[in-house]
Amino acid sequence: MRTGELFVHCITAHRIRTIPCLLLTLCAFVSSRASAQTAPWTAPLRGSWVQTGPAAQGDVVLAAKDGTSQIVVGDDENAAVHQAAEFLAGDIEKIGGHRPQIVKAPGDRVNIRLVTLGHGEVPAKVDASAMQGQWESYRIATVGRDVWLVGSNPRGTAFAAYTLSERLGVDPLYIWTGYAPEHRDPLVMKRTAFAQSPPAFRYRGFFHDDEDLLPRPFDANGYPLQTGDVPLDWYKRFFETALRLRMNMVAPYTRVHRRFEVQKLASDWGLYYTSHHYDILVSNPFGLERFNLAAERGVRPDWNWFTNRDGMIKYWRDGVLENKDIDVIWPVGMRGTQDRPFTFPAGTTDDQKAATFREVIGQQVKMTRELLPKDKTPLFHFTMYSEMLPQYQRNTAAFDLPTDVIVVWPDDNDGHMRALPAELGKWKHGVYYHLAYLGGRLTKQLTNTVVPSVVADQFDKIVKSGATEYMLVNMSEVRDYVMGGRMLADITWDAPKIFNAPHAAERYTAWWSREYFNGPAGGTGTAQATEAAYNKYFALLNTPDALWVAPNAIEDLLDRLYKKVAGETYPPFKAETLALLQSRNGQLLDALAAEGRAETGMSLSQQRFLSEDVALGLEVAQRQAAAALKLEEALRAPDAARMWQLVREARAPLEQLEVELLRGEYPPFDRWYQESWIRSALSESNPHRPFIQLRAFISSEGHGQLARRRQP
């Protein structure tokens, strides 16, 4: 048994049998040869295939002053493979300083050859025949002077290129982390024989929802127009990130002006285009009247199956016709035009509702099958979000979904699955998951609160339930959720290996801390300090409600202070709330100190990324807790002078937070947090802006709220 085979045997058994087996294999791959396979979250990835010492036999020079490789892609390869080649050429230039040409045929130099099975001859040493018929598996091998990237299908070939880029030093998350690869001149790749098996989840993707932050025209209140255009550059950033993480699906924004160029770009780059559970057959119900789509499609803008059945079918039909030539996973079902439940006539029973959904979905599936080109196999998902889950659970047999519809189970918007299939039946199953969520007091638009332990626990259950056909995760604008996003990308590819060993969340946090915060400026101690900072963060901000403790207290305290100024009676502030604020304030200060210690010795880009990924969320919570404690002290002040002094002191930590938010806003993230919940305008629907509330109290000298109460 070869060493690489030994390692695969160790990690693909039902569990890792012995630590010595793992250590023996790791030791066999020291320095001279790139690992044939590595267990997830055990070893460095970025730059791990670069030869940093003297070149060994079989190593390949990819970029140098006296000769640079070329990338070979045949004309008959899929557009996704051609796009991956473009990214790979740019990545090699970033690292080695010289950009390989992309050519159609090999030449008399080092050739990086991208080949999908059936599109060209592959050397026997690559051992590609075993991939025949597999889903998205691939091989990366050095053979003589050439590097072979061979996929079982076009996405497999593209993923081989993205894997090579990371192993040469390009961070898949570089857009968000700011990581720049170390320059190598020459750039030498170690002798490599790498085999990647198919992913655990067939369809894996990001949903870019809650589009409140991205640059586009603003309305009169300073809020991004829902009917505005998100620049194409942002979609390119999202799609590139998904591909580099080996995702194969994306759901772009649903509540913006939609252009066909966006979904075609996703498909051309190798991503299945899908959409939100209310965007039936990607027909864009949000644009029924907003974008005049009903008129353009010649139907009445009456979103009602019982009064405008033919109009709804035609509206959906035009969504299929618009997108029939690209790769789509078609949402089926029926909801309102803005993600609200469909309104049934009064008195409709559950059985009648189930029968209606069965009829509607049957029509949608039948129509799509008829309209798609013969070479397109239709794919559908029925996502049981909100009211749909209990309806389906009560009447599963009555729904009787077609067998080619993936049944997609939702979480509770906070990363905990509401339900999973007890048995699979005749259907394939998947999940709709949230790292981010925009909704009232549970808004998570500034910092991650779905911690690795929750992700690991829930996906262990998901895998055991068999709901592995489809996984869509709400990533919002990605930037504040990259750690969780990468964890999900890894799990959905390598779930069996990840869950064969215990403590998945702890292993991931430790690996992430080493991978992203080791380096020339860091070291083992830096990674350990970073891991400690993350763990303190996860212990304190592990639910969205944890961010609301202090804002709620500030609101309550200001209401009491208004009454105190007016000479009215007010209830005492709860002792248990005060104790909680005091305890959390101390813990948050300790966590911030730990984050500060971790930054010592890091590069500037590492410091900035850690500050945004860990410190900012802690600062949001701690600065507001500090302000609340000052206001509580002001409420107990014996005289007006002391009260106003403490009130003004309460303003300082909130002003400090405004500055800290501004530090996170730099190109291309200008005004990034401007409209997030912590800084949004005070309104009835969003009353929690402590800084605005406190300023209003001070500027009115405590009489503003009293004046409003006296208005007729």
Side-chain angles (χ1 to χ4, degrees), residues 461-482:
K461 294 175 182 176
I462 290 165
V463 171
K464 288 174 180 173
S465 77
T468 59
E469 186 72 4
Y470 174 102
M471 190 287 299
L472 185 68
V473 56
N474 186 334
M475 286 283 288
S476 187
E477 280 83 15
V478 179
R479 186 190 187 201
D480 301 298
Y481 308 96
V482 291

Side-chain angles (χ1 to χ4, degrees), residues 300-558:
R300 297 197 324 270
D302 178 19
W303 197 256
N304 191 315
W305 179 253
F306 301 100
T307 61
N308 192 23
R309 173 192 175 108
D310 290 343
M312 292 186 75
I313 290 175
K314 187 175 189 314
Y315 192 89
W316 294 330
R317 178 186 180 87
D318 282 4
V320 176
L321 290 173
E322 178 183 309
N323 297 283
K324 65 183 177 63
D325 295 319
I326 66 175
D327 288 339
V328 179
I329 304 179
W330 306 91
V332 296
M334 188 165 59
R335 290 201 102 206
T337 61
Q338 195 169 346
D339 197 15
R340 296 291 184 270
F342 178 78
T343 302
F344 283 89
T348 305
T349 66
D350 286 341
D351 287 342
Q352 290 170 330
K353 291 178 181 178
T356 301
F357 280 111
R358 182 176 67 246
E359 179 186 14
V360 166
I361 293 171
Q363 287 278 351
Q364 293 164 352
V365 169
K366 178 176 180 293
M367 176 174 61
T368 305
R369 288 173 181 159
E370 292 170 351
L371 294 175
L372 289 190
K374 297 302 181 185
D375 63 339
K376 292 282 185 187
T377 301
L379 299 166
F380 305 96
H381 72 83
F382 174 58
T383 298
M384 301 179 296
Y385 189 69
S386 193
E387 80 286 350
M388 291 309 306
L389 177 61
Q391 287 188 23
Y392 180 81
Q393 289 175 311
R394 284 193 298 266
N395 294 280
T396 301
F399 271 76
D400 193 26
L401 295 171
T403 55
D404 51 357
V405 174
I406 304 168
V407 182
V408 179
W409 300 78
D411 70 350
D412 63 354
N413 302 327
D414 292 324
H416 303 89
M417 295 305 299
R418 293 174 60 195
L420 285 166
E423 56 183 36
L424 299 181
K426 60 183 179 180
W427 300 281
K428 293 178 179 177
H429 299 256
V431 296
Y432 174 42
Y433 200 74
H434 287 77
L435 291 177
Y437 178 69
L438 176 63
R441 294 167 68 87
L442 294 181
T443 302
K444 304 191 295 281
Q445 285 299 98
L446 184 127
T447 191
N448 175 59
T449 58
V450 182
V451 298
S453 59
V454 171
V455 173
D457 175 68
Q458 295 301 297
F459 271 80
D460 189 25
K461 294 175 182 176
I462 290 165
V463 171
K464 288 174 180 173
S465 77
T468 59
E469 186 72 4
Y470 174 102
M471 190 287 299
L472 185 68
V473 56
N474 186 334
M475 286 283 288
S476 187
E477 280 83 15
V478 179
R479 186 190 187 201
D480 301 298
Y481 308 96
V482 291
M483 184 183 185
R486 169 133 204 181
M487 185 180 186
L488 285 176
D490 290 352
I491 288 174
T492 51
W493 196 293
D494 281 324
K497 299 173 188 174
I498 286 169
F499 293 124
N500 276 343
H503 311 302
E506 292 87 340
R507 285 187 284 114
Y508 179 70
T509 303
W511 173 83
W512 172 271
S513 300
R514 294 192 304 271
E515 182 75 2
Y516 283 88
F517 301 100
N518 268 354
T524 304
T526 301
Q528 291 172 344
T530 302
E531 182 183 357
Y534 270 109
N535 287 333
K536 287 179 182 290
Y537 171 93
F538 297 147
L540 288 166
L541 299 181
N542 58 351
T543 68
D545 291 344
L547 287 168
W548 288 99
V549 172
N552 287 341
I554 289 172
E555 185 177 8
D556 290 345
L557 286 160
L558 285 173

Side-chain angles (χ1 to χ4, degrees), residues 9-282:
H9 177 74
C10 290
I11 64 174
T12 56
H14 288 296
R15 55 184 175 272
I16 294 178
R17 296 179 179 177
T18 63
I19 295 299
C21 175
L22 181 62
L23 293 176
L24 171 65
T25 309
L26 288 173
C27 292
F29 288 103
V30 176
S31 74
S32 64
R33 182 179 180 181
S35 170
Q37 192 69 287
T38 56
W41 309 337
T42 59
L45 295 182
R46 296 181 306 189
S48 59
W49 290 359
V50 173
Q51 181 61 270
T52 57
Q57 184 178 5
D59 292 351
V60 177
V61 178
L62 300 183
K65 294 183 179 68
D66 56 353
T68 296
S69 59
Q70 61 184 12
I71 299 173
V72 184
V73 186
D75 277 341
D76 61 343
E77 287 287 354
N78 185 276
V81 178
H82 286 274
Q83 182 58 47
E86 291 288 346
F87 279 129
L88 179 60
D91 294 342
I92 290 174
E93 183 179 23
K94 287 177 188 175
I95 302 166
H98 307 278
R99 186 183 183 91
Q101 283 189 311
I102 299 175
V103 299
K104 299 177 182 178
D108 187 23
R109 62 175 63 193
V110 171
N111 298 286
I112 304 174
R113 306 193 61 171
L114 277 67
V115 180
T116 304
L117 289 184
H119 290 256
E121 295 295 324
V122 178
K125 287 184 178 180
V126 178
D127 193 24
S129 60
M131 297 191 298
Q132 194 71 45
Q134 291 184 346
W135 180 254
E136 297 180 349
S137 60
Y138 54 91
R139 302 286 188 268
I140 303 173
T142 52
V143 180
R145 294 182 63 201
D146 290 347
V147 181
W148 288 83
L149 311 180
V150 183
S152 62
N153 62 6
R155 289 182 180 86
T157 307
F159 292 147
Y162 297 123
T163 297
L164 176 59
S165 287
E166 181 176 24
R167 301 308 198 274
L168 293 177
V170 174
D171 179 13
L173 299 169
Y174 77 92
I175 293 168
W176 319 98
T177 64
Y179 178 85
E182 186 175 349
H183 180 67
R184 307 284 187 182
D185 187 11
L187 172 60
V188 181
M189 178 181 172
K190 296 177 183 177
R191 181 165 59 101
T192 298
F194 180 88
Q196 179 62 65
S197 300
F201 285 64
R202 190 172 183 85
Y203 305 108
R204 316 163 303 282
F206 291 157
F207 177 25
H208 305 120
D209 193 19
D210 307 335
E211 52 275 8
D212 64 330
L213 305 183
L214 293 183
R216 62 182 186 275
F218 286 76
D219 64 21
N221 297 316
Y223 193 87
L225 280 170
Q226 287 192 326
T227 53
D229 279 325
V230 172
L232 191 63
D233 282 348
W234 280 105
Y235 289 108
K236 290 180 178 179
R237 291 180 178 109
F238 297 143
F239 298 167
E240 179 183 344
T241 300
L243 288 165
R244 288 185 182 276
L245 291 177
R246 299 179 301 172
M247 295 292 203
N248 63 5
M249 178 175 66
V250 69
Y253 297 107
T254 56
R255 290 185 289 274
V256 295
H257 180 231
R258 181 185 299 174
R259 297 103 70 200
F260 179 73
E261 65 175 341
V262 172
Q263 48 256 45
K264 187 176 188 306
L265 178 72
S267 186
D268 287 347
W269 281 16
L271 293 160
Y272 282 94
Y273 170 63
T274 192
S275 194
H276 200 277
H277 40 271
Y278 85 92
D279 186 13
I280 301 305
L281 297 183
V282 296

